Amino acid sequence: MCQCESWEDAVCNCDGKSWSGDVFLTLRPFRIFVLGIGFFTLCFLMTSLGGQFSAKRLADSPFTIRTELLGTGESRSALRRMNEILETLVRRMDMLAHLENISEFRRGEETGHFSLESLQSALLMEKIQVIAQNVSDIAIKVDQILRNSVRAKVVEGQRDLCDIPRDPRFPDCSGKVEWMRSRWTTDPCYAYYGVDGTECSFLVYLSEVEWFCPVLPWRNQSAGSFSKNHSKKQAAFRTELSSLLDLMGTGKESLIFMKKRLRRLEAQWLLAARRLERKVLDSPNQKKQILVHIGFLTEESGDVFSPRVLKGGPLGEMVQWADILAALYILGHSLKITVSLKELQSYLGVPPGRGNCPLTEPLPFDLIYTDYHGMQQMKQHMGLSFRKYRCRLRVVDTFGTEPAYNHEEYATLHGYRTNWGYWNLNPKQFMTMFPHTPDNSFMGFVTDELNHTERQQVAQNKVRNMAVVYGKEAAMWKLQGKEKFLSVLHKHMEVHGTVYYETQRPPEVPPFVKNHGLLPQQDLQQLLKKAKLFIGFGFPYEGPAPLEAVANGCVFLQPRFNPPHSSLNHEFFRGKPTSREVPSQHPYMELTIGRPYVVTVDYNNTQEFETAIKAIMRSKVEPYLPYEYTSEGMLQRLHAYIQHQAGCTLRQHRICHEPPLPCRIPVGPRVLPTEGAVAL
């Protein structure tokens, strides 16, 4: 209770304490005091809770979340004391406000009006009470947070104590943990997946990212699942190629060549699509997600082809790839096309690092068409995912891969190991340019198809004594002993060449040869329509040009090899994953098509050679093209492969990892199944 000598006095005594009269009039010191209380409260909360809302620091992994509790018991006690102080202040300030209201009321009676400061004081008291209530609420909530943090700390402490499980279903777990202890810093991809050097992070990685250990009890049991269901949409035949040209990108001469080919053959492709569509109406035609990665055109593989496109370099691979793209696109599938390693990594979902870790997501593609260069790049960057998804690969392989070279263990034990073999694929996944062997799949390419009018024009315009030499590069004319049979050819026929040169005529080309230089594909087709003979020198092997010549009404003359060429006796084939013997420059032309369209002789036998020339000049040969090299034939073949050869079965498969750990066959319910071989 307050006792004052008079209301005019400057000092009153309230509960044994002196209070200034100015305080009752203005309360300005109290405003400053209240601001101080608010600032103190804010500082206390920031100090006490600053570490509580940053539980996961930058260096922490998602597997070892740390929560630092700074004096949890002391924090709760301080909050309670602070709340009690605020409640005491509010009670006393209520009493002071009551006294001030009495003073203001009497002063108002004396002066006849009431001051504005009285109203401000009342509003100030209301704000103080609100602040006090808010601080009280905050104290309660912080107390709850601290209690929950204590419980979380106990759980985290348990998780930091990870023992290596002794599970017979995962025999390699302890060995893999030991490997991770010493080598997890060798590739940044392990840190990307949360490995931080603790036992728990090793076990989480080995159970959820890889599959060498069982999932820890306190982890989500479905965390390691990589299953992904694709919607089964039906593919619809497309009626244009313009969008495909946009997908292919720009900048490389090889891509420019491929685009020109697609534009030139677009009408032929679309006509074939309409024919085939009527034939396969009732057959399954599921739309596939397909990645096409042309590895030999990437900068990382050297891309030796693009600079040589305009200089007579080999075009057979680009012819085939252009036709593969056209067929896949026209059949209605969803395509991604890349000739860049960076784009490949992006499409696959490769984690940052050196390629030892699996992909970040399930593979989004049903099929991947690539070559040996592309397959090597995938193996280097996909980690264990390469073994899981390799059944989805379709490897475009010009000369084929025999099973003895493909099987890693057999190739190692029996001396078949080469730089291009031991991939452990199903041999049907290798797709060749010509049907060399039933072990591999035949991909092929397409050739210009003549309509009825064009066939009549070819028959009328053929020059019976005109020959075109198969060889665009001057190096192909360096054949030892060529002068002998070329002189015989020149004796009976006019000889034409299409050898590339820049300023001067190549010295390797004899003077009697009429050299047209390197011709665009359309001009070469016109030259073949007029010529009677297309003659090979023995190289290149098994290219598309002889088939194109026969399709334009030429006879193909080629040398017979005795003994046959192979990797055992010829440098060109050495290192290739095949022991196939090549009896002539183009075995398919000799054995599958044969006479009268293809004539194979011993060029060292002058009499046999000259007899063949005379017989060719007398013969009447119409343009001939096997169905399998028409656009419809390739569409039909590829359609069958995609719908019936794309079955990766979920079965157990041998999984190997870094040495010195042995291979194993994973078993048990928590082992991620690997996709097996192609179902044929």
PDB file of all heavy atoms in Angstrom, residues 42-74:
ATOM      1  N   LEU A  42      14.903 -11.472 -25.964  1.00  0.00           N
ATOM      2  CA  LEU A  42      15.340 -11.875 -27.294  1.00  0.00           C
ATOM      3  C   LEU A  42      16.744 -12.458 -27.275  1.00  0.00           C
ATOM      4  O   LEU A  42      17.013 -13.505 -27.894  1.00  0.00           O
ATOM      5  CB  LEU A  42      15.277 -10.667 -28.238  1.00  0.00           C
ATOM      6  CG  LEU A  42      15.724 -10.918 -29.686  1.00  0.00           C
ATOM      7  CD1 LEU A  42      14.799 -11.950 -30.338  1.00  0.00           C
ATOM      8  CD2 LEU A  42      15.711  -9.623 -30.482  1.00  0.00           C
ATOM      9  N   CYS A  43      17.652 -11.794 -26.562  1.00  0.00           N
ATOM     10  CA  CYS A  43      19.026 -12.297 -26.487  1.00  0.00           C
ATOM     11  C   CYS A  43      19.076 -13.671 -25.840  1.00  0.00           C
ATOM     12  O   CYS A  43      19.798 -14.570 -26.288  1.00  0.00           O
ATOM     13  CB  CYS A  43      19.917 -11.325 -25.707  1.00  0.00           C
ATOM     14  SG  CYS A  43      20.187  -9.767 -26.575  1.00  0.00           S
ATOM     15  N   PHE A  44      18.260 -13.839 -24.770  1.00  0.00           N
ATOM     16  CA  PHE A  44      18.260 -15.135 -24.087  1.00  0.00           C
ATOM     17  C   PHE A  44      17.770 -16.253 -25.004  1.00  0.00           C
ATOM     18  O   PHE A  44      18.358 -17.329 -25.063  1.00  0.00           O
ATOM     19  CB  PHE A  44      17.378 -15.042 -22.843  1.00  0.00           C
ATOM     20  CG  PHE A  44      17.277 -16.352 -22.098  1.00  0.00           C
ATOM     21  CD1 PHE A  44      18.268 -16.739 -21.204  1.00  0.00           C
ATOM     22  CD2 PHE A  44      16.207 -17.205 -22.310  1.00  0.00           C
ATOM     23  CE1 PHE A  44      18.191 -17.939 -20.543  1.00  0.00           C
ATOM     24  CE2 PHE A  44      16.122 -18.401 -21.656  1.00  0.00           C
ATOM     25  CZ  PHE A  44      17.110 -18.775 -20.756  1.00  0.00           C
ATOM     26  N   LEU A  45      16.686 -15.960 -25.728  1.00  0.00           N
ATOM     27  CA  LEU A  45      16.147 -16.985 -26.621  1.00  0.00           C
ATOM     28  C   LEU A  45      17.133 -17.328 -27.731  1.00  0.00           C
ATOM     29  O   LEU A  45      17.312 -18.496 -28.095  1.00  0.00           O
ATOM     30  CB  LEU A  45      14.824 -16.522 -27.215  1.00  0.00           C
ATOM     31  CG  LEU A  45      13.662 -16.425 -26.225  1.00  0.00           C
ATOM     32  CD1 LEU A  45      12.442 -15.840 -26.918  1.00  0.00           C
ATOM     33  CD2 LEU A  45      13.335 -17.788 -25.651  1.00  0.00           C
ATOM     34  N   MET A  46      17.785 -16.314 -28.313  1.00  0.00           N
ATOM     35  CA  MET A  46      18.749 -16.570 -29.379  1.00  0.00           C
ATOM     36  C   MET A  46      19.932 -17.382 -28.860  1.00  0.00           C
ATOM     37  O   MET A  46      20.441 -18.277 -29.543  1.00  0.00           O
ATOM     38  CB  MET A  46      19.239 -15.255 -29.984  1.00  0.00           C
ATOM     39  CG  MET A  46      18.162 -14.509 -30.768  1.00  0.00           C
ATOM     40  SD  MET A  46      18.743 -12.930 -31.393  1.00  0.00           S
ATOM     41  CE  MET A  46      20.011 -13.465 -32.509  1.00  0.00           C
ATOM     42  N   THR A  47      20.362 -17.066 -27.635  1.00  0.00           N
ATOM     43  CA  THR A  47      21.506 -17.789 -27.076  1.00  0.00           C
ATOM     44  C   THR A  47      21.148 -19.229 -26.750  1.00  0.00           C
ATOM     45  O   THR A  47      21.913 -20.165 -27.007  1.00  0.00           O
ATOM     46  CB  THR A  47      22.014 -17.080 -25.809  1.00  0.00           C
ATOM     47  OG1 THR A  47      22.341 -15.735 -26.133  1.00  0.00           O
ATOM     48  CG2 THR A  47      23.237 -17.798 -25.231  1.00  0.00           C
ATOM     49  N   SER A  48      19.937 -19.408 -26.172  1.00  0.00           N
ATOM     50  CA  SER A  48      19.548 -20.747 -25.733  1.00  0.00           C
ATOM     51  C   SER A  48      19.168 -21.647 -26.878  1.00  0.00           C
ATOM     52  O   SER A  48      19.408 -22.845 -26.854  1.00  0.00           O
ATOM     53  CB  SER A  48      18.372 -20.649 -24.751  1.00  0.00           C
ATOM     54  OG  SER A  48      18.748 -19.906 -23.615  1.00  0.00           O
ATOM     55  N   LEU A  49      18.548 -21.055 -27.925  1.00  0.00           N
ATOM     56  CA  LEU A  49      17.994 -21.877 -29.000  1.00  0.00           C
ATOM     57  C   LEU A  49      18.787 -21.809 -30.285  1.00  0.00           C
ATOM     58  O   LEU A  49      18.423 -22.449 -31.264  1.00  0.00           O
ATOM     59  CB  LEU A  49      16.556 -21.456 -29.290  1.00  0.00           C
ATOM     60  CG  LEU A  49      15.600 -21.515 -28.096  1.00  0.00           C
ATOM     61  CD1 LEU A  49      14.225 -21.036 -28.523  1.00  0.00           C
ATOM     62  CD2 LEU A  49      15.522 -22.912 -27.544  1.00  0.00           C
ATOM     63  N   GLY A  50      19.855 -21.035 -30.300  1.00  0.00           N
ATOM     64  CA  GLY A  50      20.590 -20.864 -31.549  1.00  0.00           C
ATOM     65  C   GLY A  50      21.080 -22.154 -32.147  1.00  0.00           C
ATOM     66  O   GLY A  50      21.096 -22.340 -33.354  1.00  0.00           O
ATOM     67  N   GLY A  51      21.484 -23.092 -31.306  1.00  0.00           N
ATOM     68  CA  GLY A  51      21.982 -24.361 -31.823  1.00  0.00           C
ATOM     69  C   GLY A  51      20.909 -25.388 -32.063  1.00  0.00           C
ATOM     70  O   GLY A  51      21.150 -26.414 -32.677  1.00  0.00           O
ATOM     71  N   GLN A  52      19.656 -25.090 -31.563  1.00  0.00           N
ATOM     72  CA  GLN A  52      18.639 -26.116 -31.659  1.00  0.00           C
ATOM     73  C   GLN A  52      18.039 -26.225 -33.046  1.00  0.00           C
ATOM     74  O   GLN A  52      17.540 -27.281 -33.422  1.00  0.00           O
ATOM     75  CB  GLN A  52      17.508 -25.824 -30.648  1.00  0.00           C
ATOM     76  CG  GLN A  52      18.010 -25.600 -29.231  1.00  0.00           C
ATOM     77  CD  GLN A  52      18.818 -26.774 -28.737  1.00  0.00           C
ATOM     78  OE1 GLN A  52      18.477 -27.906 -29.012  1.00  0.00           O
ATOM     79  NE2 GLN A  52      19.907 -26.517 -28.042  1.00  0.00           N
ATOM     80  N   PHE A  53      18.033 -25.121 -33.795  1.00  0.00           N
ATOM     81  CA  PHE A  53      17.399 -25.131 -35.117  1.00  0.00           C
ATOM     82  C   PHE A  53      18.408 -25.298 -36.240  1.00  0.00           C
ATOM     83  O   PHE A  53      18.125 -25.014 -37.379  1.00  0.00           O
ATOM     84  CB  PHE A  53      16.589 -23.849 -35.317  1.00  0.00           C
ATOM     85  CG  PHE A  53      15.519 -23.669 -34.281  1.00  0.00           C
ATOM     86  CD1 PHE A  53      15.682 -22.779 -33.243  1.00  0.00           C
ATOM     87  CD2 PHE A  53      14.366 -24.439 -34.328  1.00  0.00           C
ATOM     88  CE1 PHE A  53      14.694 -22.628 -32.291  1.00  0.00           C
ATOM     89  CE2 PHE A  53      13.379 -24.289 -33.371  1.00  0.00           C
ATOM     90  CZ  PHE A  53      13.541 -23.375 -32.343  1.00  0.00           C
ATOM     91  N   SER A  54      19.593 -25.724 -35.919  1.00  0.00           N
ATOM     92  CA  SER A  54      20.608 -26.025 -36.937  1.00  0.00           C
ATOM     93  C   SER A  54      21.155 -27.416 -36.680  1.00  0.00           C
ATOM     94  O   SER A  54      22.344 -27.635 -36.577  1.00  0.00           O
ATOM     95  CB  SER A  54      21.746 -24.996 -36.903  1.00  0.00           C
ATOM     96  OG  SER A  54      22.355 -25.013 -35.642  1.00  0.00           O
ATOM     97  N   ALA A  55      20.226 -28.355 -36.581  1.00  0.00           N
ATOM     98  CA  ALA A  55      20.628 -29.710 -36.226  1.00  0.00           C
ATOM     99  C   ALA A  55      21.512 -30.330 -37.278  1.00  0.00           C
ATOM    100  O   ALA A  55      22.379 -31.122 -37.003  1.00  0.00           O
ATOM    101  CB  ALA A  55      19.389 -30.579 -36.011  1.00  0.00           C
ATOM    102  N   LYS A  56      21.287 -29.961 -38.557  1.00  0.00           N
ATOM    103  CA  LYS A  56      22.075 -30.578 -39.636  1.00  0.00           C
ATOM    104  C   LYS A  56      23.036 -29.552 -40.207  1.00  0.00           C
ATOM    105  O   LYS A  56      22.638 -28.617 -40.889  1.00  0.00           O
ATOM    106  CB  LYS A  56      21.151 -31.096 -40.738  1.00  0.00           C
ATOM    107  CG  LYS A  56      21.893 -31.862 -41.784  1.00  0.00           C
ATOM    108  CD  LYS A  56      20.933 -32.425 -42.798  1.00  0.00           C
ATOM    109  CE  LYS A  56      21.685 -33.172 -43.865  1.00  0.00           C
ATOM    110  NZ  LYS A  56      20.826 -33.696 -44.922  1.00  0.00           N
ATOM    111  N   ARG A  57      24.296 -29.682 -39.898  1.00  0.00           N
ATOM    112  CA  ARG A  57      25.293 -28.753 -40.398  1.00  0.00           C
ATOM    113  C   ARG A  57      25.753 -29.170 -41.780  1.00  0.00           C
ATOM    114  O   ARG A  57      25.470 -30.264 -42.237  1.00  0.00           O
ATOM    115  CB  ARG A  57      26.477 -28.705 -39.429  1.00  0.00           C
ATOM    116  CG  ARG A  57      26.064 -28.214 -38.047  1.00  0.00           C
ATOM    117  CD  ARG A  57      27.221 -28.291 -37.083  1.00  0.00           C
ATOM    118  NE  ARG A  57      27.662 -29.656 -36.921  1.00  0.00           N
ATOM    119  CZ  ARG A  57      28.633 -30.010 -36.100  1.00  0.00           C
ATOM    120  NH1 ARG A  57      29.271 -29.115 -35.392  1.00  0.00           N
ATOM    121  NH2 ARG A  57      28.984 -31.277 -35.996  1.00  0.00           N
ATOM    122  N   LEU A  58      26.482 -28.288 -42.437  1.00  0.00           N
ATOM    123  CA  LEU A  58      26.903 -28.549 -43.821  1.00  0.00           C
ATOM    124  C   LEU A  58      27.749 -29.796 -43.930  1.00  0.00           C
ATOM    125  O   LEU A  58      27.634 -30.554 -44.885  1.00  0.00           O
ATOM    126  CB  LEU A  58      27.687 -27.342 -44.357  1.00  0.00           C
ATOM    127  CG  LEU A  58      28.129 -27.426 -45.812  1.00  0.00           C
ATOM    128  CD1 LEU A  58      26.887 -27.530 -46.704  1.00  0.00           C
ATOM    129  CD2 LEU A  58      28.971 -26.220 -46.195  1.00  0.00           C
ATOM    130  N   ALA A  59      28.564 -30.044 -42.932  1.00  0.00           N
ATOM    131  CA  ALA A  59      29.473 -31.188 -43.024  1.00  0.00           C
ATOM    132  C   ALA A  59      28.821 -32.495 -42.603  1.00  0.00           C
ATOM    133  O   ALA A  59      29.387 -33.551 -42.756  1.00  0.00           O
ATOM    134  CB  ALA A  59      30.718 -30.952 -42.160  1.00  0.00           C
ATOM    135  N   ASP A  60      27.595 -32.411 -42.017  1.00  0.00           N
ATOM    136  CA  ASP A  60      26.948 -33.634 -41.570  1.00  0.00           C
ATOM    137  C   ASP A  60      26.340 -34.378 -42.729  1.00  0.00           C
ATOM    138  O   ASP A  60      25.849 -33.796 -43.681  1.00  0.00           O
ATOM    139  CB  ASP A  60      25.844 -33.302 -40.553  1.00  0.00           C
ATOM    140  CG  ASP A  60      26.421 -32.787 -39.243  1.00  0.00           C
ATOM    141  OD1 ASP A  60      27.602 -33.077 -38.995  1.00  0.00           O
ATOM    142  OD2 ASP A  60      25.694 -32.107 -38.505  1.00  0.00           O
ATOM    143  N   SER A  61      26.335 -35.685 -42.646  1.00  0.00           N
ATOM    144  CA  SER A  61      25.712 -36.505 -43.675  1.00  0.00           C
ATOM    145  C   SER A  61      24.282 -36.781 -43.283  1.00  0.00           C
ATOM    146  O   SER A  61      23.900 -36.633 -42.121  1.00  0.00           O
ATOM    147  CB  SER A  61      26.473 -37.828 -43.826  1.00  0.00           C
ATOM    148  OG  SER A  61      26.166 -38.660 -42.725  1.00  0.00           O
ATOM    149  N   PRO A  62      23.427 -37.196 -44.230  1.00  0.00           N
ATOM    150  CA  PRO A  62      22.046 -37.519 -43.878  1.00  0.00           C
ATOM    151  C   PRO A  62      21.937 -38.753 -43.006  1.00  0.00           C
ATOM    152  O   PRO A  62      20.868 -39.044 -42.492  1.00  0.00           O
ATOM    153  CB  PRO A  62      21.403 -37.769 -45.255  1.00  0.00           C
ATOM    154  CG  PRO A  62      22.525 -38.100 -46.152  1.00  0.00           C
ATOM    155  CD  PRO A  62      23.696 -37.337 -45.646  1.00  0.00           C
ATOM    156  N   PHE A  63      23.052 -39.479 -42.838  1.00  0.00           N
ATOM    157  CA  PHE A  63      23.005 -40.689 -42.043  1.00  0.00           C
ATOM    158  C   PHE A  63      23.468 -40.445 -40.604  1.00  0.00           C
ATOM    159  O   PHE A  63      23.316 -41.292 -39.744  1.00  0.00           O
ATOM    160  CB  PHE A  63      23.882 -41.776 -42.662  1.00  0.00           C
ATOM    161  CG  PHE A  63      23.552 -42.032 -44.094  1.00  0.00           C
ATOM    162  CD1 PHE A  63      24.542 -42.239 -45.030  1.00  0.00           C
ATOM    163  CD2 PHE A  63      22.228 -42.049 -44.514  1.00  0.00           C
ATOM    164  CE1 PHE A  63      24.222 -42.484 -46.347  1.00  0.00           C
ATOM    165  CE2 PHE A  63      21.913 -42.291 -45.833  1.00  0.00           C
ATOM    166  CZ  PHE A  63      22.904 -42.500 -46.749  1.00  0.00           C
ATOM    167  N   THR A  64      24.079 -39.281 -40.311  1.00  0.00           N
ATOM    168  CA  THR A  64      24.609 -39.017 -38.974  1.00  0.00           C
ATOM    169  C   THR A  64      24.210 -37.619 -38.542  1.00  0.00           C
ATOM    170  O   THR A  64      25.042 -36.761 -38.299  1.00  0.00           O
ATOM    171  CB  THR A  64      26.132 -39.164 -38.960  1.00  0.00           C
ATOM    172  OG1 THR A  64      26.693 -38.296 -39.962  1.00  0.00           O
ATOM    173  CG2 THR A  64      26.571 -40.578 -39.270  1.00  0.00           C
ATOM    174  N   ILE A  65      22.922 -37.362 -38.475  1.00  0.00           N
ATOM    175  CA  ILE A  65      22.417 -36.049 -38.067  1.00  0.00           C
ATOM    176  C   ILE A  65      22.739 -35.840 -36.593  1.00  0.00           C
ATOM    177  O   ILE A  65      22.400 -36.658 -35.742  1.00  0.00           O
ATOM    178  CB  ILE A  65      20.909 -35.948 -38.309  1.00  0.00           C
ATOM    179  CG1 ILE A  65      20.624 -36.116 -39.800  1.00  0.00           C
ATOM    180  CG2 ILE A  65      20.352 -34.655 -37.784  1.00  0.00           C
ATOM    181  CD1 ILE A  65      19.160 -36.125 -40.122  1.00  0.00           C
ATOM    182  N   ARG A  66      23.361 -34.710 -36.272  1.00  0.00           N
ATOM    183  CA  ARG A  66      23.761 -34.429 -34.904  1.00  0.00           C
ATOM    184  C   ARG A  66      22.910 -33.290 -34.353  1.00  0.00           C
ATOM    185  O   ARG A  66      22.680 -32.290 -35.015  1.00  0.00           O
ATOM    186  CB  ARG A  66      25.244 -34.044 -34.852  1.00  0.00           C
ATOM    187  CG  ARG A  66      26.177 -35.108 -35.402  1.00  0.00           C
ATOM    188  CD  ARG A  66      27.607 -34.627 -35.258  1.00  0.00           C
ATOM    189  NE  ARG A  66      28.541 -35.605 -35.748  1.00  0.00           N
ATOM    190  CZ  ARG A  66      28.905 -35.709 -37.022  1.00  0.00           C
ATOM    191  NH1 ARG A  66      28.391 -34.912 -37.914  1.00  0.00           N
ATOM    192  NH2 ARG A  66      29.778 -36.619 -37.400  1.00  0.00           N
ATOM    193  N   THR A  67      22.470 -33.421 -33.097  1.00  0.00           N
ATOM    194  CA  THR A  67      21.726 -32.362 -32.427  1.00  0.00           C
ATOM    195  C   THR A  67      22.499 -31.978 -31.176  1.00  0.00           C
ATOM    196  O   THR A  67      22.627 -32.794 -30.259  1.00  0.00           O
ATOM    197  CB  THR A  67      20.321 -32.842 -32.061  1.00  0.00           C
ATOM    198  OG1 THR A  67      19.684 -33.305 -33.243  1.00  0.00           O
ATOM    199  CG2 THR A  67      19.508 -31.739 -31.442  1.00  0.00           C
ATOM    200  N   GLU A  68      22.985 -30.759 -31.109  1.00  0.00           N
ATOM    201  CA  GLU A  68      23.780 -30.314 -29.976  1.00  0.00           C
ATOM    202  C   GLU A  68      22.870 -29.595 -28.995  1.00  0.00           C
ATOM    203  O   GLU A  68      22.268 -28.574 -29.344  1.00  0.00           O
ATOM    204  CB  GLU A  68      24.907 -29.397 -30.452  1.00  0.00           C
ATOM    205  CG  GLU A  68      25.902 -30.126 -31.357  1.00  0.00           C
ATOM    206  CD  GLU A  68      27.041 -29.224 -31.742  1.00  0.00           C
ATOM    207  OE1 GLU A  68      27.076 -28.095 -31.239  1.00  0.00           O
ATOM    208  OE2 GLU A  68      27.897 -29.654 -32.530  1.00  0.00           O
ATOM    209  N   LEU A  69      22.762 -30.104 -27.791  1.00  0.00           N
ATOM    210  CA  LEU A  69      21.918 -29.513 -26.763  1.00  0.00           C
ATOM    211  C   LEU A  69      22.810 -28.789 -25.770  1.00  0.00           C
ATOM    212  O   LEU A  69      23.637 -29.405 -25.103  1.00  0.00           O
ATOM    213  CB  LEU A  69      21.110 -30.609 -26.063  1.00  0.00           C
ATOM    214  CG  LEU A  69      20.254 -31.472 -27.000  1.00  0.00           C
ATOM    215  CD1 LEU A  69      19.541 -32.540 -26.203  1.00  0.00           C
ATOM    216  CD2 LEU A  69      19.280 -30.609 -27.754  1.00  0.00           C
ATOM    217  N   LEU A  70      22.616 -27.516 -25.678  1.00  0.00           N
ATOM    218  CA  LEU A  70      23.482 -26.701 -24.840  1.00  0.00           C
ATOM    219  C   LEU A  70      22.795 -26.470 -23.493  1.00  0.00           C
ATOM    220  O   LEU A  70      21.978 -25.548 -23.351  1.00  0.00           O
ATOM    221  CB  LEU A  70      23.777 -25.361 -25.524  1.00  0.00           C
ATOM    222  CG  LEU A  70      24.379 -25.499 -26.921  1.00  0.00           C
ATOM    223  CD1 LEU A  70      24.553 -24.122 -27.549  1.00  0.00           C
ATOM    224  CD2 LEU A  70      25.713 -26.222 -26.836  1.00  0.00           C
ATOM    225  N   GLY A  71      23.067 -27.304 -22.499  1.00  0.00           N
ATOM    226  CA  GLY A  71      22.528 -27.095 -21.172  1.00  0.00           C
ATOM    227  C   GLY A  71      21.035 -27.184 -21.122  1.00  0.00           C
ATOM    228  O   GLY A  71      20.361 -26.208 -20.789  1.00  0.00           O
ATOM    229  N   THR A  72      20.462 -28.311 -21.476  1.00  0.00           N
ATOM    230  CA  THR A  72      19.005 -28.403 -21.562  1.00  0.00           C
ATOM    231  C   THR A  72      18.343 -28.140 -20.221  1.00  0.00           C
ATOM    232  O   THR A  72      17.337 -27.431 -20.140  1.00  0.00           O
ATOM    233  CB  THR A  72      18.623 -29.792 -22.072  1.00  0.00           C
ATOM    234  OG1 THR A  72      19.208 -30.787 -21.228  1.00  0.00           O
ATOM    235  CG2 THR A  72      19.110 -30.011 -23.485  1.00  0.00           C
ATOM    236  N   GLY A  73      18.881 -28.711 -19.119  1.00  0.00           N
ATOM    237  CA  GLY A  73      18.283 -28.485 -17.800  1.00  0.00           C
ATOM    238  C   GLY A  73      18.386 -27.039 -17.387  1.00  0.00           C
ATOM    239  O   GLY A  73      17.421 -26.437 -16.902  1.00  0.00           O
ATOM    240  N   GLU A  74      19.553 -26.431 -17.575  1.00  0.00           N
ATOM    241  CA  GLU A  74      19.732 -25.021 -17.225  1.00  0.00           C
ATOM    242  C   GLU A  74      18.826 -24.130 -18.056  1.00  0.00           C
ATOM    243  O   GLU A  74      18.309 -23.120 -17.571  1.00  0.00           O
ATOM    244  CB  GLU A  74      21.191 -24.629 -17.431  1.00  0.00           C
ATOM    245  CG  GLU A  74      22.177 -25.312 -16.474  1.00  0.00           C
ATOM    246  CD  GLU A  74      22.556 -26.699 -16.964  1.00  0.00           C
ATOM    247  OE1 GLU A  74      21.932 -27.160 -17.938  1.00  0.00           O
ATOM    248  OE2 GLU A  74      23.461 -27.312 -16.376  1.00  0.00           O
TER     249      GLU A  74
END
